[in-house]
Amino acid sequence: MKLNRTIKPAPSKDLNFVMPSVESFELDNKLKVYFIKKDTLPIVRLNIIINAGNKFDPENKKGLSNLLSMCIDEGAGEFDALQLSEQFDLIGAQFSVYSNSDTLQLIVQTLTENFGRAIELLSMILIDPHLHKNDFEREKRKIITRLKQLQDEPEFLANAALQKYLLGSNNPYSYPTIGKIDNITKITDEDVVSFYNSTVKPGNTFMVVAGAISTEELKDNLSRNFNNWSNTEFRLNISIGTNKDLRKVYVINKKDSVQTEIRVGHHTSGRGSKDYFNKQILNTILGGQFTSRINLNLREKHGYTYGAGSSFNYYKESAYFSVSTSVGIENTANALKEIMFELERIREGVTPEELDFAKDSIIRKFPLNFETYRQVASNFIGKVIFDLPDDYFDTYIDNIKAVILEGVNEAAVKYIKPDVVSIILVGDKDKLKKQLSTDGFGDVIFTELEL
Amino acid sequence: MNILNLQYEKYKLANGLEVILHQNKSLPLVAVNVWYKVGSACEVEGKTGIAHLFEHMMFQGSENVPKEMHFRNIQEAGGTLNGSTSVDRTNFFEKLPANYLELALWLESDRMGFFLPALTQEKLDNQKDVVKNERLERYDNQPYGLAWELILTNLYPKGHPYSWATIGFLNDITGYTLDDVKSFFKKYYAPNNASLVIAGDFDSDEVKLLIEKYFSGIPHADNSVQKDVHLFKLKENKILTHRDNVQLERLYLAFPTVKVFDEHDASLDVLSDLLAGSKNSRLYKSLVFEKEIAQDVSAFQFSGRFGGHFNIIATAKPGNSLDDLKSEIFKELDLIANKGVNENELVRSKNGIKSGFVFSLQNLEHLADQMNAYNFYINEPNSFAFDLNRYNSVTDSSIVDAVESYLKDPFVELRIIPASNSK
C-alpha cells in the first residue's frame, strides 16, 4: 500500500510526565534550602543565590557587586586563588560565580562521588573568602580592560543603551552589571569587603540543589559546612525611580559597522502581574518563537535579518518589553517600519488559531523544561526569586489553558505601546542619518555610549 | 564507567539509510537526529557555502509540508528543532514529547525524499538574504569575526576541503541558482548518505515500523564521493596582519596537525586544556594571572575527517605587544617539549574530561548527536567509554611527542590590530 504522505501524523497516547517534587528545609542559621532529587545521572548541581545583585551597588560605586563576584573565589580558607581553582579541578567539578541585576550566584556542578569535597570548597568561598588587596587590584584591572573590549560588541552596546535610556538614570537596573568605568576606577578593596559583609549572610541567601543524592546526605553535608555561618544583621535598601516612556530614537554611533543592532522597548508590568500568562501567550504569538510574527516578517518574508524576536524582561522590581534584531545597515529603516507595523497590528487582535498554537506549544513543551540539572535548578530559582506560589509549576499548565482570546487581545492593547517606544540603533551614524530623516520614527538623538 | 556504555540497535534499510535506536525512558522525551554526510568539505573553490545554504533550504518546506510548517509543526507539538553545518556533515534535529515521535519522522522523511517539488526561486532568494545577514551578524560585524576565514584560507593548501569557512564567501553565496541547489540535493541528500539516530522514550518494535513506513519508499542515489586528503606541513611560517574595529590586539597561532581520532588527536586536546583550560593552566597562569600581559588566552585542537589544526589565541592587554605574548607562548611550548608535563596537571585535565562526559549525557539531543558522530567517524555509536579511554591513555610522553611532532613546525600567525584612529 502506498503511503499517503499528505496526512500529518497524530500524537500517540498521552504522556505521563511527573513533575519533580521539591523539598525545602532550613539550616540552624536560617539558610533556606530547596532540594529536587534527580538521579537520572550521578550528578549534583548546587546553586547559592544571594540577594546582592548590582541593583544594590551604591551611588558612584556601580560595578561593586560584579567586583565582589570576581574577587570572592580569588583565595579562601587555606587556599590562595590558584590553589582553590586547582582543588576544584582535581575533583573535576565545575565552579562558577557571577552577578546579575538581582543576585550574586555561586554554582557548582559535580559528580555525586565528589559532592562532599565540592561543598567544603564552596563553603570556604562563601564564608571565608580572602578578598585580598592584590587579588582585588588584579581583578579590577581585568574588568577595566573588559569594559574597553565591550565597546566593540554591538549587542552589548544595544542592550546597555536600551537599559540606560528606557529605564532612566534613577533606576538601579539602568546600567550593566559590569558597572561604569569612572565608578570602577574609584572602588577600593575595602568597598568590596564591606559589600560582602553587608550582603553575604544566610538570611539573605537561599540554596537550590538538584541532584542524585539522598536528603539525609545533603542535610548532613550542608549542616557540617554551613551551620557556623553566622547570621548577623544586615540592611539593604534600594529605591526604584520611574521614567516616563517617550517615543525617541537613539543612534549609538559605531563607525564602519556593516549592520545595525536594533532594540525597541518600553516599560511593562512586573512578574507578579495577574496578566502574566496573557502576556506570555501574547509574546509567543508576537515574537517569542521562530514562527512568531516578527521573525516570519523580518526574516522569512523580507530577508532583512538572520533572526528577530521580542520578550517581556523581568527583574525583581522592574520590567520592560523589547524587540531585538540586527539587520544589514541599508535595511535599518525598512526593518524598523516592519517592527512598528507588527506592534500596531498585534493590537488589532490575534486569531483563535494563533492562540491555540501558542497554548499547545507551551503546554506540550513543559516536560522539556526539566531535562537537565541546570534547567531543573534554574526553574526553581526563578520561582523563589519572584516569590511565585508554592504550587506554581503544578498549576502552570492549567493557568496556560485558562488563557482566552479576549484576555490576550486586551493584553495586546494594554502592554504593546508603539507610540512610546525607545528605539536604539547601534550602527554607523553617517549611513543611518539619511534613512532616518524621511521616516517619522520620532526625535532622533545621535550620541556615543560611555561605558 | 557503566553509564557510558549505551545500549543501542543499529540496522540499515534497503535504500541504505542507517538507523540507530537508543532507549532511555528517564523522561517522556524523544530526540530525532539525522546526519547527512555532506559538509563544506564537499564544496569546491568558487562554490563555497552551499552546504550551509542548503541546510537553510531544508527548513523551507517539502512536497507535503508548506513553507514554515516544518518549524510550526514541531513547535506546536512542544518540540525544539534546528540544524547545523560543519566541515564534514550537516545535521538536523528535533527534541519532542515522546508521543510526537511520528510527526518528526514524517517531517524528516518528507524533506529527505520530497524536497525538490517544493523548491522555488522565491524561497532561495529569501534564504540567500537570510544567510547573507547571518554572515554579517556572525562574521563581518563581530569584533575579530573574520579571523577564522583568514586562518583557514592561509593555513590549508589551496583546494584543501578545509581551506574556506563553512559559511562561505559572500560572492559565492549570492551567486547560487536553483540548479545549483537542485543538483546539490540530488548528489548528497539521499538515504544512503544519511544516518538517523532516535534516542529516548519509545517502543522499539513500533518505531521500527514507523521508520519503515516513512523512509523505506525514498530511493537511494548514486552518490559515492570519495575524497582522499593527506596531512600536510607548511614550508615556512606565514605572518598575516589584519585591521579590524577592535580596541585590543589579538594574536592567533595555528599549526597543522592531525585528523579526528588519529594518534595524537586526544593528546592535543589534553594539551589545549593544560595550556589554557583553567586558571592554573600554563598560559592562563603566566599571561593572564601572573604577568597580566594578556586579557584572555584560549587553545583548542580542531580536527575532522580530512585534517586538523591546533590553535592558540591570546588578546593583549593595552600597552603590551603581541611579540611578548608570542614569546611567552613559545617559551611554554619549549618547556613542555623539554621537561614534559607533571602528573598533577594530567590528573586535573583527565578528571575534568571524565566529568564532562557524564555531564554531556544530560541532554538527549546532545547524546543522539554524539552517537551519530561516533557512528560517522568510527562506525560505532556506543563509543563514549572508548572515547573517554582515549583521554585516559594520554601520557606525559604522548603530549611531548605531539608538541615535538606538530608545534615545532611552521605555522600561521594572524595579528588582528585596531584600525587606526577609528572609534
Side-chain angles (χ1 to χ4, degrees):
Chain A
M1 191 183 74
K2 198 176 174 317
L3 172 66
N4 182 353
R5 301 198 60 98
T6 60
I7 301 169
K8 173 177 150 183
S12 60
K13 61 187 184 311
D14 276 352
L15 286 188
N16 180 27
F17 172 65
V18 184
M19 188 52 216
S21 62
V22 60
E23 255 183 273
S24 65
F25 53 90
E26 254 179 27
L27 302 186
D28 293 346
N29 57 7
K30 304 282 176 217
L31 177 64
K32 183 118 193 174
V33 181
Y34 300 85
F35 172 47
I36 305 102
K37 191 168 161 63
K38 179 176 170 69
D39 43 21
T40 43
L41 289 164
I43 296 173
V44 184
R45 186 179 177 90
L46 188 149
N47 289 54
I48 293 177
I49 300 95
I50 307 163
N51 189 30
N54 69 274
K55 68 180 175 188
F56 294 113
D57 288 351
E59 213 41 51
N60 299 319
K61 294 189 175 164
K62 302 300 182 192
L64 185 53
S65 168
N66 181 58
L67 258 162
L68 174 58
S69 80
M70 299 285 288
C71 293
I72 198 167
D73 65 332
E74 299 296 312
E78 65 205 84
F79 302 116
D80 69 21
L82 292 176
Q83 290 165 340
L84 188 57
S85 169
E86 181 179 31
Q87 293 298 312
F88 280 114
D89 293 346
L90 281 170
I91 57 170
Q94 294 173 349
F95 167 77
S96 60
V97 49
Y98 71 94
S99 274
N100 61 24
S101 299
D102 284 314
T103 62
L104 170 66
Q105 300 203 18
L106 294 88
I107 301 156
V108 69
Q109 181 167 290
T110 173
L111 297 181
T112 303
E113 62 192 30
N114 296 319
F115 178 70
R117 182 60 177 155
I119 278 290
E120 277 171 27
L121 296 169
L122 195 60
S123 71
M124 262 179 225
I125 293 171
L126 194 67
I127 303 171
D128 189 18
H130 294 168
L131 305 177
H132 286 163
K133 188 174 171 63
N134 61 330
D135 293 311
F136 163 79
E137 295 294 348
R138 183 188 58 247
E139 296 308 307
K140 179 167 149 177
R141 289 190 289 269
K142 203 185 282 171
I143 292 172
I144 290 170
T145 307
R146 179 67 193 138
L147 267 165
K148 201 171 164 67
Q149 276 185 306
L150 286 170
Q151 291 171 24
D152 297 336
E153 295 181 15
E155 288 184 34
F156 178 85
L157 294 175
N159 292 334
L162 184 68
Q163 277 178 292
K164 175 178 171 171
Y165 293 113
L166 171 62
L167 299 175
S169 57
N170 53 0
N171 184 327
Y173 291 106
S174 67
Y175 62 95
T177 301
I178 193 167
K180 295 179 181 168
I181 187 78
D182 56 349
N183 284 204
I184 292 167
T185 48
K186 285 183 224 133
I187 295 176
T188 66
D189 57 320
E190 282 142 31
D191 291 326
V192 170
V193 170
S194 117
F195 191 72
Y196 168 83
N197 284 331
S198 61
T199 58
V200 183
K201 300 287 173 199
N204 197 37
T205 300
F206 67 94
M207 211 180 260
V208 173
V209 186
I213 187 171
S214 70
T215 313
E216 293 69 39
E217 205 184 337
L218 175 64
K219 279 186 176 164
D220 199 43
N221 273 290
L222 293 181
S223 32
R224 198 167 49 242
N225 288 289
F226 289 97
N227 256 351
N228 49 11
W229 182 22
S230 69
N231 200 11
T232 47
E233 274 298 299
F234 60 90
R235 178 178 291 272
L236 289 171
N237 274 316
I238 50 163
S239 74
I240 311 285
T242 50
N243 196 34
K244 198 170 153 48
D245 283 325
L246 282 175
R247 174 80 167 252
K248 269 196 183 140
V249 183
Y250 300 90
V251 175
I252 312 299
N253 187 29
K254 196 162 190 309
K255 196 170 177 291
D256 297 329
S257 67
V258 291
Q259 277 199 311
T260 306
E261 194 71 41
I262 302 178
R263 300 289 182 277
V264 175
H266 57 66
H267 284 84
T268 193
S269 63
R271 180 64 179 80
S273 155
K274 62 174 175 32
D275 284 327
Y276 175 78
F277 291 101
N278 284 329
K279 286 167 74 183
Q280 191 190 355
I281 299 279
L282 171 68
N283 189 61
T284 302
I285 297 168
L286 177 62
Q289 291 189 327
F290 185 91
T291 50
S292 301
R293 289 182 178 192
I294 289 175
N295 191 57
L296 289 187
N297 180 335
L298 269 75
R299 173 180 154 132
E300 294 296 293
K301 185 170 168 206
H302 286 104
Y304 292 150
T305 179
Y306 179 48
S310 67
S311 54
F312 289 104
N313 309 287
Y314 297 105
Y315 302 120
K316 194 164 163 61
E317 285 114 359
S318 223
Y320 65 91
F321 166 78
S322 66
V323 179
S324 308
T325 188
S326 61
V327 303
I329 205 153
E330 70 284 1
N331 282 320
T332 308
N334 290 334
L336 211 43
K337 219 176 286 174
E338 293 305 325
I339 291 170
M340 298 311 289
F341 169 77
E342 292 298 349
L343 297 188
E344 293 288 355
R345 185 165 77 101
I346 196 97
R347 290 165 54 85
E348 293 159 17
V350 306
T351 66
E353 292 74 28
E354 286 178 309
L355 175 69
D356 289 344
F357 176 85
K359 287 167 72 168
D360 286 344
S361 164
I362 293 171
I363 291 167
R364 292 172 185 154
K365 192 174 178 217
F366 191 66
L368 270 75
N369 299 331
F370 295 89
E371 187 186 12
T372 65
Y373 287 73
R374 183 203 188 109
Q375 283 179 307
V376 169
S378 306
N379 284 327
F380 282 96
I381 290 168
K383 190 178 109 169
V384 178
I385 288 180
F386 290 109
D387 297 322
L388 302 176
D390 283 346
D391 63 355
Y392 178 75
F393 290 115
D394 305 310
T395 56
Y396 181 86
I397 287 178
D398 287 339
N399 277 319
I400 294 287
K401 279 185 181 160
V403 172
I404 57 171
L405 197 67
E406 288 71 22
V408 175
N409 288 342
E410 278 166 27
V413 174
K414 192 167 166 193
Y415 295 107
I416 304 296
K417 300 181 278 195
D419 289 348
V420 293
V421 285
S422 298
I423 296 170
I424 308 292
L425 306 173
V426 178
D428 190 322
K429 73 166 185 239
D430 296 330
K431 295 181 201 158
L432 287 171
K433 224 169 224 164
K434 213 173 146 203
Q435 290 184 59
L436 295 171
S437 60
T438 50
D439 295 287
F441 294 118
D443 292 344
V444 184
I445 295 151
F446 291 91
T447 179
E448 309 273 341
L449 190 69
E450 303 290 331
L451 293 180
Chain B
M1 275 201 280
N2 242 350
I3 50 167
L4 293 181
N5 182 21
L6 301 187
Q7 304 300 312
Y8 70 96
E9 278 184 80
K10 174 170 155 180
Y11 63 96
K12 226 176 222 184
L13 299 190
N15 60 14
L17 177 68
E18 258 188 303
V19 178
I20 295 155
L21 306 176
H22 165 67
Q23 280 194 351
N24 177 341
K25 304 212 172 192
S26 57
L27 283 169
L29 308 179
V30 66
V32 174
N33 185 290
V34 185
W35 274 40
Y36 290 92
K37 298 168 190 172
V38 55
S40 58
C42 297
E43 297 162 355
V44 293
E45 277 182 295
K47 292 270 181 187
T48 65
I50 192 167
H52 170 257
L53 174 65
F54 194 83
E55 175 215 321
H56 277 247
M57 296 309 295
M58 282 288 272
F59 290 93
Q60 293 296 306
S62 46
E63 187 169 3
N64 302 292
V65 183
K67 180 172 158 103
E68 284 148 30
M69 286 311 289
H70 189 95
F71 260 93
R72 223 178 252 283
N73 276 310
I74 297 290
Q75 292 190 327
E76 187 179 32
T80 58
L81 69 161
N82 214 331
S84 76
T85 311
S86 78
V87 288
D88 291 340
R89 57 91 185 120
T90 309
N91 66 357
F92 298 91
F93 44 93
E94 295 85 32
K95 185 162 64 185
L96 311 100
N99 54 348
Y100 281 93
L101 172 57
E102 188 174 352
L103 176 74
L105 297 178
W106 173 63
L107 290 167
E108 285 299 354
S109 63
D110 212 59
R111 60 183 176 181
M112 182 185 285
F114 309 91
F115 169 80
L116 288 179
L119 179 64
T120 66
Q121 186 67 45
E122 194 187 355
K123 287 177 179 175
L124 176 61
D125 290 344
N126 168 251
Q127 288 305 305
K128 280 160 70 174
D129 282 342
V130 170
V131 171
K132 272 189 269 175
N133 278 297
E134 179 177 357
R135 197 191 140 95
L136 290 179
E137 182 175 325
R138 295 171 62 170
Y139 300 81
D140 302 276
N141 208 47
Q142 279 299 321
Y144 313 100
L146 294 175
W148 293 113
E149 191 165 87
L150 287 162
I151 289 169
L152 295 174
T153 47
N154 283 284
L155 179 70
Y156 287 93
K158 196 173 160 53
H160 188 287
Y162 292 170
S163 63
W164 49 83
T166 302
I167 188 81
F169 293 107
L170 192 59
N171 272 339
D172 294 354
I173 297 167
T174 47
Y176 286 115
T177 64
L178 269 187
D179 282 341
D180 289 324
V181 173
K182 279 181 195 161
S183 51
F184 192 84
F185 176 82
K186 286 181 188 153
K187 193 165 175 188
Y188 296 110
Y189 277 72
N192 49 318
N193 201 40
S195 56
L196 165 69
V197 172
I198 298 175
D201 182 5
F202 57 81
D203 178 285
S204 181
D205 293 336
E206 279 173 26
V207 86
K208 284 179 191 164
L209 290 175
L210 289 175
I211 291 167
E212 184 68 23
K213 174 176 166 187
Y214 287 104
F215 289 92
S216 64
I218 303 171
H220 83 111
D222 296 319
N223 63 354
S224 69
V225 193
Q226 285 298 334
K227 261 192 200 184
D228 198 12
V229 181
H230 299 287
L231 295 181
F232 64 94
K233 297 268 182 200
L234 293 171
K235 287 199 182 66
E236 56 191 354
N237 293 346
K238 281 194 194 176
I239 301 185
L240 318 160
T241 301
H242 175 75
R243 289 179 185 277
D244 197 359
N245 284 321
V246 296
Q247 310 295 317
L248 304 183
E249 300 189 357
R250 184 177 284 176
L251 175 73
Y252 296 76
L253 301 170
F255 305 82
T257 58
V258 297
K259 299 174 185 176
V260 64
F261 290 105
D262 271 7
E263 193 199 349
H264 291 132
D265 183 42
S267 296
L268 289 162
D269 277 336
V270 174
L271 174 67
S272 72
D273 190 53
L274 298 184
L275 288 174
S278 66
K279 214 182 259 180
N280 279 284
S281 61
R282 289 173 174 237
L283 293 176
Y284 187 92
K285 186 171 151 187
S286 153
L287 303 179
V288 181
F289 191 90
E290 288 173 352
K291 300 194 175 71
E292 292 189 60
I293 57 175
Q295 175 72 359
D296 52 59
V297 60
S298 59
F300 67 95
Q301 153 78 351
F302 163 85
S303 57
R305 256 179 115 168
F306 300 122
H309 56 282
F310 189 84
N311 308 274
I312 302 174
I313 305 124
T315 311
K317 279 217 167 192
N320 292 283
S321 78
L322 295 182
D323 288 335
D324 289 346
L325 266 53
K326 184 179 165 188
S327 89
E328 288 295 330
I329 290 168
F330 277 99
K331 218 195 275 178
E332 210 57 63
L333 292 177
D334 283 341
L335 203 60
I336 293 176
N338 297 330
K339 298 253 163 87
V341 298
N342 64 51
E343 190 55 30
N344 182 288
E345 282 178 290
L346 274 180
V347 168
R348 279 187 274 139
S349 274
K350 287 180 182 180
N351 284 348
I353 289 167
K354 176 182 150 192
S355 297
F357 268 84
V358 178
F359 297 160
S360 77
L361 300 176
Q362 293 179 69
N363 184 333
L364 209 50
E365 189 166 276
H366 180 267
L367 188 151
D369 196 57
Q370 194 57 47
M371 291 186 94
N372 239 334
Y374 287 139
N375 186 59
F376 176 78
Y377 287 113
I378 48 181
N379 199 29
E380 171 54 66
N382 175 27
S383 291
F384 295 88
F386 165 84
D387 199 9
L388 177 59
N389 193 48
R390 270 196 326 140
Y391 293 102
N392 278 331
S393 309
V394 169
T395 61
D396 168 45
S397 69
S398 76
I399 290 180
V400 171
D401 202 27
V403 173
E404 293 283 3
S405 308
Y406 302 102
L407 306 193
K408 297 249 159 158
D409 289 330
F411 53 87
V412 167
E413 173 181 333
L414 168 64
R415 293 163 173 245
I416 295 195
I417 60 172
S420 55
N421 297 327
S422 83
K423 175 144 190 211

